[in-house]
Amino acid sequence: MGNGLFHQLLTPIGHSTGLSFLVGVIPIAVVLVLLGVVRAPAWISALSGLIVGLIEAIAGWQMPFHLAMSSIGEGMVFAVWPVMWIVWNAMWLYNLSQRTGAFAQFRDWMYRYATDDRRIQLLIIAFGFGALMEGIAGFGTPVAIASALLVGLGFPVLEAVTYALIFDTAPVAFGALGVPIVTLGSVTNLNVNALSSMVGRQLPIFAFILPFYVIVVMGGWKALKGAWPVALVGGLSYAVTQFAVANFLGPALPDVLAALVSLVCIVLFTRVWRPKDTNLFRSFVHLGAHNETAATVEGGSTGSLWRGWVPWLTVTGVVIVWTFLKIADIGQRKISWPGLNDQVYLTLYQKPYDAVWAFQPLATGTAILVAVILTALFLRAGWKTFWLAAADTWKQLVFPILTVMFIVGLAYLYNYSGMAYTLGVAVAALGSWFPFFSGFLGWIACFLSGSDTSSNALFGNLQVVAANRLHLNPVLMAATNSSGAVMSKMISPQNVTTGVSTGELRGKEGLVIRRTFWHSLVLTVLLGILVTLQAHVWSGMIPKP
């Protein structure tokens, strides 16, 4: 422990990489088993995993108690600000749209002017609109809002959440206007545009596949047989745009532009073409039922269905302007975390581990709050409606906030104790198998933190170290960390607990994870095959560092 620092132990269990790995994954296994098998509420599962992780960090990895508690504390504060600050305001916007009738009008617009075919509704809402929300806010809000829209159109709740979660893989790496890729560049010292290009040569393949994949999940091959042309239009338009923007413009706009292009293409295409078997897949509910619902909502009116677009166009515009003017940087303060900053020695990288919390009073969540206020003004919502929507948000998010605090606290404990690097070193020791399994490093980190950004901060540099040792391209392996992370968003407790917060599945996150877990594994394995080919067969297509 020289120099007064806590030196992370990489193989503390019997001085064995394998044994240390097996013990290190126990807290993750506890969370998964409690959620998926025992079906415990997400906050209890996350707290249990955190307690097991704390015991292991102190007893196994020899971490001093005060450092362990301080790292958990930093993670919990980060979970509240900026993560749940973004989620809170996005959900407030959703609830305001509910109480003003705008949400019902958006749903009615979908039914009247877009389509009454469930397969096409799924592509417009969960794929296109969900990707747009991921590009702006992320952190589970696309799932919550998109699934609520699907339920409003008559989809069963569990199916709606499942579809929205699976679709939320394609846009995640470029979410929040490219923050995950920018973070990856900063921790690896690799060119951000090269990383953007590389991720843009992986995820568009999955974006192209997903419309076909989810339609088959929804209704089998019979459903795809009638709707494959619109799946082709939606998937191809999204994939081509995401590829082009990621490779030629950078990481900020691939999601927003790809989502908008895909939405426009799907809607225009279905103006001139419709499936011959729509009668077999017609929406569960009728427009008249929608209008009755809208009319009963405070302030609701079905005469002007354009009002349904006001909240979403407003938040899109505000966040894009906010980001490009770099308003979030105004008033930013970097706070050295008490008792933790530079008190841990990163054995793997041979340097002290900083612990700095960047407090941004004008973070993305604040931008969304501005959109909430503007939406209230545009829709002429009264003060009562405005604050009742805030009360709705509190009821929905009190347990998700606890869940996210516990799971991100566990993620930070993994980081500072060295447990995370033990897992990484074990995977990196796979040698020639590393390209196939490298995506699972991002998968593990995103499961813990719920964030592609946090996953990149944790394992991005480890991927580069392993790549250099194994004579692999560092840009490919770093990008794979980000692409692998997106595959576990659909099982991350943070993402799922926010995603179910608007409906009757609150507290039943395990049901959802049981449905999405195998899809997550299948997609990560497909990514592993792609990366192996890119590393050994198509290496000439990899951007230079």
Side-chain angles (χ1 to χ4, degrees), residues 218-519:
M218 183 189 88
W221 294 104
K222 181 180 180 181
L224 183 61
K225 183 180 179 181
W228 71 263
V230 71
L232 178 64
V233 169
L236 187 61
S237 60
Y238 189 101
V240 168
T241 306
Q242 188 183 51
F243 169 84
V245 177
N247 277 272
F248 300 112
L249 295 181
L253 289 175
D255 279 356
V256 175
L257 293 180
L260 290 174
V261 168
S262 182
L263 279 170
V264 170
C265 287
I266 292 171
V267 171
L268 291 179
F269 181 67
T270 52
R271 289 281 188 173
V272 298
W273 173 91
R274 61 183 285 123
K276 294 179 181 178
D277 58 351
T278 286
N279 286 335
L280 298 176
F281 297 96
R282 196 176 296 278
S283 183
F284 297 103
V285 291
H286 300 291
L287 184 58
H290 289 174
N291 288 344
E292 288 176 22
T293 305
T296 61
V297 180
E298 184 177 348
S301 168
T302 58
S304 306
L305 296 185
W306 63 268
R307 291 175 79 252
W309 281 97
V310 169
W312 319 117
L313 293 176
T314 302
V315 71
T316 301
V318 169
V319 171
I320 290 175
V321 171
W322 202 273
T323 301
F324 278 98
L325 294 180
K326 298 183 178 179
I327 295 175
D329 295 339
I330 300 173
Q332 175 177 302
R333 292 186 60 197
K334 292 190 174 182
I335 300 170
S336 297
W337 198 256
L340 184 63
N341 187 45
D342 291 337
Q343 296 301 303
V344 174
Y345 189 78
L346 277 163
T347 305
L348 187 66
Y349 302 140
Q350 298 184 346
K351 64 178 183 179
Y353 198 162
D354 62 359
V356 178
W357 175 52
F359 174 63
Q360 293 181 315
L362 299 178
T364 303
T366 308
I368 300 174
L369 175 60
V370 170
V372 173
I373 295 169
L374 289 175
T375 297
L377 293 173
F378 293 152
L379 297 179
R380 298 181 181 178
W383 282 107
K384 180 181 177 183
T385 301
F386 184 76
W387 291 114
L388 282 174
D392 293 340
T393 306
W394 170 251
K395 292 175 186 175
Q396 290 164 348
L397 290 184
V398 58
F399 286 112
I401 288 171
L402 278 178
T403 301
V404 174
M405 288 175 68
F406 292 147
I407 205 72
V408 179
L410 175 59
Y412 272 62
L413 179 66
Y414 260 87
N415 292 4
Y416 287 99
S417 67
M419 292 168 68
Y421 299 101
T422 297
L423 303 185
V425 167
V427 174
L430 293 170
S432 59
W433 283 95
F434 179 66
F436 179 82
F437 285 102
S438 63
F440 281 94
L441 282 178
W443 187 89
I444 290 170
C446 189
F447 168 79
L448 281 170
S449 65
S451 161
D452 197 302
T453 302
S454 298
S455 171
N456 289 339
L458 177 60
F459 280 146
N461 207 42
L462 178 66
Q463 299 271 11
V464 172
V465 171
N468 290 330
R469 286 181 182 175
L470 299 169
H471 305 292
L472 296 166
N473 189 296
V475 171
L476 171 63
M477 304 323 303
T480 300
N481 192 81
S482 197
S483 297
V486 310
M487 304 305 174
S488 72
K489 284 282 280 190
M490 68 181 79
I491 61 167
S492 168
Q494 172 183 309
N495 206 42
V496 174
T497 195
T498 304
V500 302
S501 63
T502 58
E504 61 193 55
L505 291 177
R506 269 179 283 178
K508 299 178 181 178
E509 293 86 352
L511 276 176
V512 177
I513 290 176
R514 284 164 68 96
R515 293 287 295 270
T516 57
F517 185 79
W518 295 110
H519 299 297

Side-chain angles (χ1 to χ4, degrees), residues 125-139 142-143 163-181 199 202-204 206-208 210 238-239 242 251-260 452-453 482-483 485-487 489-490 495:
I125 293 171
F127 184 52
F129 185 71
L132 181 63
M133 289 294 101
E134 179 65 44
I136 293 168
F139 298 112
V143 178
Y163 305 148
L165 280 165
I166 297 173
F167 270 132
D168 196 36
T169 56
V172 166
F174 298 107
L177 296 172
V179 169
I181 305 299
V199 175
Q202 293 176 334
L203 289 187
F206 291 90
F208 174 73
L210 279 172
Y238 189 101
Q242 188 183 51
L253 289 175
D255 279 356
V256 175
L257 293 180
L260 290 174
D452 197 302
T453 302
S482 197
S483 297
V486 310
M487 304 305 174
K489 284 282 280 190
M490 68 181 79
N495 206 42

Side-chain angles (χ1 to χ4, degrees), residues 1 6-7 9 12 56-65 417:
M1 301 279 179
F6 162 60
H7 286 233
L9 304 176
E56 288 195 7
I58 295 170
W61 274 256
Q62 308 293 305
M63 188 181 198
F65 177 77
S417 67

Side-chain angles (χ1 to χ4, degrees), residues 24-62:
V25 297
I26 289 175
I28 299 173
V30 166
V31 177
L32 277 173
V33 169
L34 285 175
L35 275 171
V37 180
V38 181
R39 302 188 186 185
W43 72 272
I44 292 176
S45 304
L47 176 60
S48 302
L50 177 58
I51 292 170
V52 173
L54 179 62
I55 294 169
E56 288 195 7
I58 295 170
W61 274 256
Q62 308 293 305

